[in-house]
Amino acid sequence: KTVPLVPKEAVQVLGNRKIVFEATDDPKTFILRPVRLTQEKDNAYPAIEGIFVGDKIVTSGSFLLRAEFLKTNQADF
């Protein structure tokens, strides 16, 4: 079975969840995706839930997206 590989730098933690940000056709809009990952290998995690092969995942800048998300959604976390 083919599973997507998520680069280590793309993975962020919110509370007790691991998340990634998916890019959209709008360069200013990103989708927060909770993911379930398996053991890291070669600086990447196989994703068994939350994203699909071919999804465009943000790597560089994902920490900034997490910070912006937390600023605007403080009551949720």
Side-chain angles (χ1 to χ4, degrees), residues 41-55:
K41 182 179 180 184
D42 298 326
N43 288 321
Y45 295 96
I48 54 176
E49 284 182 14
I51 59 169
F52 299 97
V53 172
D55 287 349

